[in-house]
Amino acid sequence: MHKDIHAFNNEVNSYLMKRYGYKRPPAITCWDEKIEAVRKKFNLYLRFKNDPETLTIARMYFLKTRSGNGTSLLRFLTEHAADYDYKKIRLEATNNNSAAFAMRYGFSRIGKKDWIIEVEVLKNVLLKD
C-alpha cells in the first residue's frame, strides 16, 4: 500500500469539504490505492497504483468550469506531494478541455490523451499564476 492512503484520503476529504462547503466527507478510499470523490459539484478519481511516484488524476470533473476549481486542486496536490511521496502528477484520458488545462499548466503529453508533470515544475508554474 502507498504511504498511508487513508491519511491522504482524510486530507482530500478536508480539502473538498472546506472548498465546497460539504459537512460530510465526500471521498472514500477504494481498493488498490485509489480515492474516489463524487458529489454534485465535482467528480474525482485519484490513484497511485501504476507508479508509486506518480499521482494519477484519472477523472476530474467540476460542475463550474473556469472558476479556479482545477487550479485549486493542483495547488492542494502539490502542497501534499512531499507528505505522500509522489513526485509527478498525471492527467489520464483527457478530453479537449482537460488537455487545454494540462497545456496551460505545463504538463507534457504522453501518449494520445495522457499528460504528466513533475511536482516541482508545477509548483513553479502555480506560483506565477
Side-chain angles (χ1 to χ4, degrees):
M1 176 173 270
H2 192 269
K3 181 183 174 182
D4 206 351
I5 190 79
H6 299 289
F8 185 61
N9 184 70
N10 290 337
E11 297 276 2
V12 170
N13 272 324
S14 293
Y15 162 75
L16 293 171
M17 289 166 60
K18 182 178 178 183
R19 173 126 181 119
Y20 298 99
Y22 288 109
K23 293 181 181 176
R24 292 189 2 226
I28 57 170
T29 302
C30 299
W31 61 97
D32 290 336
E33 302 177 13
K34 301 171 188 173
I35 294 173
E36 186 174 23
V38 180
R39 289 290 191 268
K40 181 179 180 180
K41 297 178 182 179
F42 57 81
N43 187 335
L44 301 173
Y45 182 44
L46 311 172
R47 73 167 177 259
F48 292 98
K49 186 177 180 180
N50 296 342
D51 176 1
E53 286 194 348
T54 302
L55 171 65
T56 299
I57 302 172
R59 188 172 56 241
M60 179 173 64
Y61 164 81
F62 298 103
L63 182 62
K64 291 185 179 180
T65 58
R66 299 194 181 279
S67 59
N69 292 317
T71 303
S72 175
L73 177 64
L74 290 181
R75 282 196 174 100
F76 166 79
L77 295 174
T78 58
E79 289 168 5
H80 291 83
D83 298 335
Y84 297 99
D85 297 332
Y86 56 90
K87 295 173 178 47
K88 301 175 211 163
I89 296 175
R90 177 181 180 149
L91 295 177
E92 184 178 84
T94 60
N95 60 23
N96 289 339
N97 290 338
S98 52
F101 177 80
M103 285 188 281
R104 176 178 179 212
Y105 288 102
F107 283 73
S108 299
R109 179 175 271 177
I110 52 173
K112 276 188 163 183
K113 294 187 172 193
D114 293 356
W115 300 77
I116 197 161
I117 193 167
E118 297 279 337
V119 168
E120 291 305 314
V121 173
L122 182 57
K123 280 182 183 179
N124 290 328
V125 172
L126 289 168
L127 284 174
K128 296 173 189 174
D129 191 47

